[in-house]
Amino acid sequence: MIEIEPITGLKSDDGRCALIAGPCSAESEQQVIQCARMLSGMGIGTLRAGIWKPRTRPGGYEGPGRPGLEWLRKARQLTGMRIMTEVANAAHVEAALEAGIDMVWIGARTTVSPFAVQEIADSLAGTGIPVFVKNPINADIDLWTGAFERLSRAGIRRLAAIHRGFSSYGETVYRYAPQWEIPIELRRRIPQLPIFCDPSHMAGRTGLIQPLAQTAMNLNADGLFVEVHPDPSCALSDRNQQLTPDEFGQLVRSLSQRRETSEYDRESLKPLRDELDSVDKELIGLLARRFGIAREIGSYKQLHNLAVLQPDRYNAVMENIIREAVQMGIDGKCISNIFENIHSESIRWQLETINRK
Ligand code: PEP
Ligand code: MN
């Protein structure tokens, strides 16, 4: 059981979703302060900036290290903003705590390592500092959950997640694919945990940020975590995905926020939800029947010494199903995903039937 305490002061008074913004990397005192002044002028309360930058390949800008913490402190002093940076090991935690950083985040390349997460959890124990945990770079919900469990066992209660997308092999539209079903599953597992969306790392380029941020709003994200740089064309890291403060302002104004669900909404939705529940029940009944038939087929194949997997038949079934579904207005990819799962379960049933005999 993971106990969550709210992180106060993140949401603005007008009820807008929480916004955290700032440069990918702290690059100079002047850049950090300029960025903080512009963001604070727009009413943004929390400044993010990387002090230690995990680079996938060596040779890139690795951040200013310790001296950069002073720039953040100065930005806080001048603007009243809260300051936040990434920590990846105990030494970073120690330096960040010593500098009085308000909140920290664990990066995507760190969440993948249980050793690193444990080291951070141990060094944060007893501090009460809010900790944001980015999703691991690979689409592994258990690693993400495990990081919260480790922090929770170290007594850290003020926790939040940052959904920043997942890596995939080869060229894709997004730098890191959103895979929205993963933060949705995280919400199911840890319902009280605030989930922020980082559309900057998902997008990889500024043009894709707005629709991602809007999707996050539609899915009830608790906040946005966005890279903003006073002059992105000169940024020392993640140049293509950083917004100017002006562009960030436009983004925020463009987002339509969803309001809280009221008792009235719940009442209005009840008949439809009841109908949905009864359709789900029917679906389960149908699936049970389908698996029963698959088992009978398994018995036949066993008796007559046939292979379980019959690729021609499988391809024909899939083609027919997709055609039929598309005619009924269902997305072909969605239906093929569902039927791949159903089919592999049928195969498992058949193998079980055969092995038992
Ligand atoms: C960052 O936020 O600048 C960062 C390094 O992010 P991630 O860990 O998501 O790559
Ligand atoms: Mn970045």
Side-chain angles (χ1 to χ4, degrees), residues 58-129:
Y61 178 59
E62 293 187 334
R66 261 176 193 265
L69 292 168
E70 262 322 296
W71 310 339
L72 284 179
R73 283 163 59 89
K74 208 161 192 181
R76 174 172 62 190
Q77 199 187 351
L78 292 170
T79 63
M81 287 180 94
R82 299 210 280 187
I83 50 176
M84 183 174 187
T85 198
E86 172 173 349
V87 290
N89 58 38
H92 296 165
V93 169
E94 194 194 320
L97 291 174
E98 205 181 289
I101 293 288
D102 298 301
M103 309 196 284
V104 293
W105 82 83
I106 297 178
R109 290 163 194 76
T110 306
T111 312
V112 290
S113 162
F115 290 129
V117 172
Q118 192 59 52
E119 178 181 320
I120 294 169
D122 292 342
S123 54
L124 285 169
T127 61
I129 189 172

Side-chain angles (χ1 to χ4, degrees), residues 11-315:
K11 280 204 179 173
S12 61
D13 293 339
D14 59 7
R16 237 174 25 179
C17 89
L19 297 170
I20 297 175
C24 176
S25 305
E27 298 170 359
S28 67
E29 181 175 317
Q30 190 251 345
Q31 173 243 18
V32 170
I33 287 170
Q34 187 187 2
C35 197
R37 283 214 155 104
M38 292 170 108
L39 289 169
S40 143
M42 296 161 57
I44 307 302
T46 308
L47 178 73
R48 61 142 286 156
I51 296 291
W52 299 278
K53 298 303 298 177
R55 310 312 306 178
T56 300
R57 309 275 302 274
Y61 178 59
E62 293 187 334
R66 261 176 193 265
L69 292 168
E70 262 322 296
W71 310 339
L72 284 179
R73 283 163 59 89
K74 208 161 192 181
R76 174 172 62 190
Q77 199 187 351
L78 292 170
T79 63
M81 287 180 94
R82 299 210 280 187
I83 50 176
M84 183 174 187
T85 198
E86 172 173 349
V87 290
N89 58 38
H92 296 165
V93 169
E94 194 194 320
L97 291 174
E98 205 181 289
I101 293 288
D102 298 301
M103 309 196 284
V104 293
W105 82 83
I106 297 178
R109 290 163 194 76
T110 306
T111 312
V112 290
S113 162
F115 290 129
V117 172
Q118 192 59 52
E119 178 181 320
I120 294 169
D122 292 342
S123 54
L124 285 169
T127 61
I129 189 172
V131 183
F132 287 61
V133 183
K134 288 203 168 197
N135 65 254
I137 210 152
N138 53 320
D140 186 333
I141 179 77
D142 285 332
L143 268 179
W144 204 5
T145 313
F148 291 107
E149 287 164 347
R150 288 178 196 280
L151 290 160
S152 178
R153 284 180 186 196
I156 298 156
R157 303 269 173 271
R158 291 152 90 202
L159 293 165
I162 303 174
H163 170 218
R164 50 80 80 202
F166 302 89
S167 70
S168 31
Y169 185 67
E171 285 289 306
T172 55
V173 178
Y174 298 112
R175 181 175 179 207
Y176 294 105
Q179 299 196 246
W180 299 103
E181 66 279 12
I182 296 178
I184 290 171
E185 170 61 13
L186 184 69
R187 173 142 284 162
R188 194 191 63 76
R189 292 186 181 191
I190 319 176
Q192 307 309 320
L193 182 72
I195 304 182
F196 278 59
C197 173
D198 169 348
S200 309
H201 287 86
M202 280 176 196
R205 51 195 158 109
T206 53
L208 294 177
I209 291 177
Q210 201 283 342
L212 287 166
Q214 184 60 60
T215 302
M217 294 288 93
N218 298 348
L219 291 173
N220 251 342
D222 295 281
L224 294 177
F225 190 82
V226 183
E227 286 192 341
V228 178
H229 191 288
D231 183 4
S233 64
C234 299
L236 299 180
S237 60
D238 288 353
R239 185 174 294 175
N240 299 331
Q241 71 192 33
Q242 302 205 58
L243 297 171
T244 63
D246 265 358
E247 289 166 339
F248 178 59
Q250 280 166 31
L251 168 73
V252 173
R253 284 190 297 278
S254 79
L255 295 173
S256 59
Q257 294 216 26
R258 304 299 168 197
R259 60 176 179 79
E260 300 278 320
T261 311
S262 67
E263 209 36 59
Y264 176 81
D265 299 317
R266 268 187 275 277
E267 277 305 306
S268 314
L269 287 170
K270 191 166 183 310
L272 286 171
R273 286 178 167 164
D274 287 348
E275 197 180 338
L276 207 63
D277 290 349
S278 91
V279 171
D280 286 347
K281 250 189 211 155
E282 275 176 52
L283 276 176
I284 290 169
L286 286 172
L287 284 173
R289 215 173 107 202
R290 194 188 192 283
F291 294 140
I293 299 172
R295 239 180 317 183
E296 277 184 44
I297 294 179
S299 302
Y300 181 94
K301 286 177 179 166
Q302 205 254 353
L303 202 59
H304 296 90
N305 199 25
L306 299 174
V308 163
L309 186 64
Q310 310 264 334
D312 292 349
R313 159 81 188 146
Y314 174 55
N315 292 340

